[in-house]
């Protein structure tokens, strides 16, 4: 089977890029796999790609940023999509030409706008699988309307959580489209797992407001006040860097909190810690949570929509606390800092429980879905639906459901503000 991934920009840094590379490399064990990058802005990707996976860009911004067609707005890529400003008539043209000429058995889109291209422009013989790495409730209403029309032409749609798959089945009405949760996978660690002795809390991700690193730093101040020998290391880059530096200085945490910059891959940094941390208001999946657990770290996380509650078993391999609750986050961190044995026991449980996100089981599920989509497309019938599965939420404190409305309201407010500019 030849499998083609259609990706926004394979040369950047982000969770969708990471999980696409991971899945592509695992599938390349038994299939011919390529990644088509709509955009390119540098010579080499930030992440190492298995040589068995071919990579080709469609628009190279180093030479074509001022191309006349790239200065005109996109017509196929949906206007309500978050990345719309980066697309153009040139990307419309190149993506359309790529899809028309593809010899792949199945093409996988990796974001809503690219899924629309796939649904509308892929040849009839090509199986069409869309991936959603955000959530339905996080999409603005105008985009949801566009997706509802376009997604009916897909063969299958995957989400990263059971909760989001259920939302698509319930709200989008996609007859004949198989909707299935396919979690992100994390490669088997190459380094020995953390042993729980290092006095280090590790967090990683883009330095953007939704990740709430300010809340994490403020919560860690409680830990530092009682245990001056503990550190918080935050890996990533982004717009919040200067504000976070100022916060560290204002709280007098120069010797305890370190903004480490970006690191890719992160495995060598996770194993230097004893606790992972995530303080997001919203997390479609929680790739860094899985990465930390696969390295033997229990993770203290906010129980935000949607991912953490489907990954962490509260009190067993990590802790879940309410979104935005600095005191609860600090108390949960202190709980593990104070109790060496509990921290190590939960680290061992995290290592074991995170095996379900290893490439093996995830790739097996993906292969089955792709093969069924190809078979169905060739026979002219819909892909058979799997029986609906219960959400894989292990133990949730119930905060995620409460906060879903908050996230949706925030998205709507951002749309209004953009319209006022």
């Amino acid at each position: 089977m030849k499998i083609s991934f259609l990706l926004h920009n394979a040369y950047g840094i982000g969770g969708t890029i990471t999980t696409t590379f991971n899945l592509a490399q695992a599938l390349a064990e038994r299939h011919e796999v390529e990644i088509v990058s709509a955009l390119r802005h540098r010579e080499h990707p930030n992440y190492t790609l298995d040589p068995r996976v071919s990579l080709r860009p469609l628009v190279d911004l180093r030479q074509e940023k001022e191309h006349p067609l790239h200065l005109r707005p996109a017509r196929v890529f949906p206007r309500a999509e978050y990345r719309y400003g980066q697309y153009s008539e040139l990307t419309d043209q190149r993506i359309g030409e790529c899809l028309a000429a593809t010899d792949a058995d199945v093409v996988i889109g990796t974001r809503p706008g690219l899924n629309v291209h796939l649904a509308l422009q892929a040849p009839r013989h090509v199986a069409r699988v869309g991936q959603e790495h955000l959530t339905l409730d996080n999409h603005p209403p105008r985009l949801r309307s566009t997706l509802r029309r376009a997604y009916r032409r897909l063969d299958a749609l995957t989400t990263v959580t059971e909760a989001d798959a259920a939302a698509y089945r319930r709200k989008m009405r996609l007859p004949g489209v198989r909707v299935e949760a396919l979690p992100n996978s994390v490669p088997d660690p190459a380094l020995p797992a953390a042993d729980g002795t290092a006095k280090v809390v590790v967090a990683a991700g883009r330095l953007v407001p939704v990740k709430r690193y300010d809340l994490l730093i403020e919560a860690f101040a409680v830990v530092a006040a009682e245990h001056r020998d503990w550190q918080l290391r935050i890996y990533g880059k982004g717009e919040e860097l200067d504000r976070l530096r100022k916060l560290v200085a204002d709280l007098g945490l120069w010797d305890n909190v370190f903004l480490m910059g970006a690191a890719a891959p992160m495995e060598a940094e996770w194993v230097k810690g004893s606790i992972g941390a995530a303080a997001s208001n919203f997390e479609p999946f929680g790739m860094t949570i899985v990465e930390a657990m696969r390295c033997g770290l229990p993770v203290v996380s906010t129980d935000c929509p949607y991912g953490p509650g489907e990954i962490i078993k509260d009190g067993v391999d990590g802790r879940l606390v309410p979104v935005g609750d600095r005191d609860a986050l600090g108390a949960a961190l202190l709980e593990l800092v104070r109790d060496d044995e509990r921290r190590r026991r939960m680290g061992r449980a995290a290592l074991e429980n995170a095996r379900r996100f290893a490439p093996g089981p995830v790739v097996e599920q993906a292969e089955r879905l792709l093969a069924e989509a190809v078979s169905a497309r060739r026979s002219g019938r819909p892909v058979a639906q799997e029986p609906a599965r219960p959400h894989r939420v292990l133990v949730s404190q119930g905060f995620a459901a409460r906060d879903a409305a908050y996230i949706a309201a925030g998205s709507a407010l951002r749309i209004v503000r953009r319209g006022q500019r």
Side-chain angles (χ1 to χ4, degrees), residues 120-138:
L120 300 180
Q121 297 177 318
R124 292 180 61 86
H125 67 276
V126 174
R128 309 163 186 186
V129 177
Q131 290 183 340
E132 280 284 357
H133 291 276
L134 286 174
T135 69
L136 179 60
D137 289 340
N138 196 54

Side-chain angles (χ1 to χ4, degrees), residues 363-421:
V363 170
E364 181 180 343
Q365 181 186 351
E367 283 184 313
R368 182 176 65 253
L369 174 63
L370 298 179
E372 291 176 7
V374 170
S375 176
R377 172 61 61 168
R378 289 173 178 171
S379 65
R381 56 176 173 78
V383 186
Q385 295 283 355
E386 280 198 337
R389 290 177 287 175
H391 298 179
R392 291 175 298 161
V393 175
L394 298 170
V395 178
S396 173
Q397 302 300 307
F399 312 121
R402 182 200 67 191
D403 292 316
Y406 165 80
I407 297 301
S411 297
L413 181 59
R414 287 192 297 275
I415 296 166
V416 171
R417 285 174 176 168
R418 284 199 296 269
Q420 292 173 342
R421 290 174 185 170

Side-chain angles (χ1 to χ4, degrees), residues 204-276:
R206 292 173 298 123
L207 305 184
V208 293
V210 73
K211 298 294 185 180
R212 292 308 310 271
Y213 288 114
D214 58 334
L215 186 78
L216 177 58
I217 292 169
E218 290 171 354
F220 189 78
V222 179
V223 176
E226 184 176 310
H227 299 270
R228 296 298 300 178
D229 52 347
W230 274 76
Q231 296 181 358
L232 169 63
R233 299 177 185 173
I234 299 173
Y235 292 85
K237 60 182 181 180
E239 64 195 67
E240 290 276 279
L241 178 60
D242 291 340
R243 190 170 81 89
L244 296 176
R245 281 176 175 162
K246 183 177 185 303
L247 179 61
V248 171
D250 290 346
L251 295 175
L253 294 173
W254 311 278
D255 295 330
N256 299 93
V257 177
F258 300 93
L259 302 173
M260 307 292 290
M266 265 293 297
E267 183 182 343
E269 310 309 321
W270 290 122
V271 298
K272 295 174 185 174
S274 290
I275 302 169

